[in-house]
Amino acid sequence: PSTQEVKKRKRTPKQVKKLSQEPIRPGTPEPVEGREHVYVQTELYLEEISDRVIEIDGECQTDDFLDRPPTPLFIPAKTGKDVATQIEEGELFDFDIEVKPILEVLVGKTVEQALLEVMEEEELAQLWSHQRAFAELRNAEFAELQRLEEQDRRIREEKERRRLEHLEKLRKQKETAEKIAARAFAQRYLADLIPSVFNNLYDSGFFYDPIERDIETEFLPWLMSEVEETLQKKVLGRMMLDSLIRMVVEKRLDEFSRPPPPDPTEAPAEEPGATDEAPQVSGEADAAEQPIAEEEETDQPVDEE
């Protein structure tokens, strides 16, 4: 190695001692999935084998040489076979003689095993037959038990239904008797009540003649409205006539109240005419007053109506 490598590999005496004490173990490949490595002793003498020996250069200051025992001799590991045995033909056993008991044993054991298997099969067949018979018997008993339980259930349901029907019948009989008694009591109680109620209702106006009611509600109101409308028309005509008469009378009264213009030439001749006109005015006044009196006479029945 070069000087640089020597410098890099230079270590302290403690490190060198530690490295010399630690054994160097070669690495092994990783085990496959589901397995693991196991260390097994296979040789009598173990020898550490490595492809490359680690070389380390180091320097140290040593003391004087001390006495030490001599280095033991190197004894390599043993290889090959240490002991062997030679067996000649016919030394161990004679096949024809020795195989007979073995064959008898094998045949006997095989026959015995076959007999045991046949007996076991027969026993199993008998057990299965007994089991089937027992299952059939149990199923029959279970069916009979279910039938009896169903019969008992039907009997109990029928008994309960009959009891409920009897109770319902008694209730209906009691209810019918109560209804009959109530009906008889009501008939006796209402025997005199119904005529009195009808009489009271008839007196109160709840029962009426439809023709009479129609006349009272439809015809008479219509007749009264027509009569009232006719009377209103008559009253309106009389009022208009009264107003016209009053206007005429007031106009003539105004004309007659003014003195006529004096005429000296016709004064002697008009005097008899003035006397003649006076009765006319009085006659006209009487004619004007006569409708008024008639109107007053006709108004009285209207007021009465």
Side-chain angles (χ1 to χ4, degrees):
S2 61
T3 56
Q4 293 180 357
E5 293 178 355
V6 171
K7 290 181 181 180
K8 289 181 180 179
R9 294 179 180 178
K10 188 181 292 184
R11 291 180 174 83
T12 59
K14 291 183 179 180
Q15 293 177 351
V16 173
K17 186 177 180 181
K18 187 175 181 181
L19 288 173
S20 63
Q21 289 179 356
E22 292 180 356
I24 300 173
R25 298 179 180 177
T28 56
E30 294 295 330
V32 297
E33 186 177 359
R35 297 186 180 183
E36 62 180 3
H37 291 314
V38 178
Y39 294 98
V40 180
Q41 180 75 20
T42 58
E43 296 294 339
L44 183 60
Y45 298 99
L46 297 179
E47 181 180 357
E48 185 177 358
I49 300 174
S50 61
D51 296 339
R52 181 177 178 275
V53 179
I54 299 175
E55 298 178 355
I56 298 174
D57 295 338
E59 296 179 358
C60 64
Q61 181 66 35
T62 60
D63 297 335
D64 295 337
F65 290 103
L66 300 175
D67 294 335
R68 63 182 182 81
T71 302
L73 296 176
F74 175 72
I75 300 174
K78 289 184 177 182
T79 58
K81 297 180 180 179
D82 293 340
V83 178
T85 303
Q86 181 67 30
I87 300 175
E88 298 297 336
E89 186 178 355
E91 290 184 355
L92 291 178
F93 63 94
D94 188 359
F95 180 77
D96 295 335
I97 296 174
E98 299 293 337
V99 80
K100 190 175 182 179
I102 297 174
L103 186 60
E104 290 178 354
V105 171
L106 291 176
V107 172
K109 290 292 183 182
T110 303
V111 173
E112 184 181 359
Q113 185 67 25
L115 291 174
L116 290 175
E117 290 179 359
V118 171
M119 293 173 63
E120 185 178 358
E121 290 178 357
E122 292 180 355
E123 186 176 0
L124 288 174
Q126 291 180 359
L127 289 175
W128 288 341
S129 63
H130 285 294
Q131 187 176 3
R132 284 194 298 269
F134 176 74
E136 291 177 358
L137 181 61
R138 185 184 62 180
N139 293 332
E141 291 178 354
F142 185 70
E144 183 67 17
L145 179 62
Q146 287 184 344
R147 188 184 66 80
L148 293 175
E149 289 179 353
E150 185 67 18
Q151 183 179 0
D152 185 43
R153 185 184 63 80
R154 287 198 302 269
I155 292 172
R156 284 188 282 102
E157 290 180 356
E158 182 69 19
K159 189 181 296 183
E160 184 68 19
R161 186 166 62 251
R162 293 291 179 83
R163 187 180 67 84
L164 294 177
E165 288 179 356
H166 182 66
L167 293 177
E168 184 68 17
K169 183 178 179 181
L170 292 177
R171 187 184 65 80
K172 287 183 178 180
Q173 288 179 355
K174 183 179 179 181
E175 185 177 357
T176 305
E178 291 178 355
K179 286 182 179 180
I180 293 172
R183 184 172 178 273
F185 176 76
Q187 287 180 353
R188 288 196 301 272
Y189 181 75
L190 297 176
D192 299 330
L193 182 62
I194 293 175
S196 62
V197 169
F198 276 101
N199 292 329
N200 292 332
L201 291 176
Y202 186 79
D203 295 338
S204 301
F206 286 96
F207 300 103
Y208 53 84
D209 188 3
I211 299 174
E212 183 180 356
R213 183 64 176 270
D214 189 20
I215 292 172
E216 291 177 356
T217 57
E218 299 293 337
F219 179 71
L220 289 179
W222 173 81
L223 182 61
M224 294 300 293
S225 62
E226 292 294 330
V227 170
E228 185 178 359
E229 185 177 357
T230 305
L231 292 176
Q232 286 180 359
K233 289 180 180 179
K234 289 182 178 181
V235 171
L236 181 61
R238 289 174 183 175
M239 290 175 65
M240 294 295 294
L241 182 61
D242 291 343
S243 62
L244 291 174
I245 293 171
R246 188 178 293 107
M247 288 174 63
V248 171
V249 171
E250 289 178 357
K251 186 175 180 181
R252 288 187 178 183
L253 181 61
D254 188 17
E255 289 180 357
F256 285 120
S257 63
R258 289 182 296 178
D263 191 357
T265 58
E266 296 179 358
E270 291 178 357
E271 289 180 358
T275 59
D276 295 335
E277 292 177 358
Q280 294 178 359
V281 172
S282 62
E284 292 176 0
D286 294 334
E289 291 176 358
Q290 185 177 358
I292 295 171
E294 292 176 358
E295 184 179 1
E296 291 177 355
E297 291 177 359
T298 56
D299 289 341
Q300 290 178 1
V302 174
D303 295 338
E304 291 176 358
E305 289 176 2

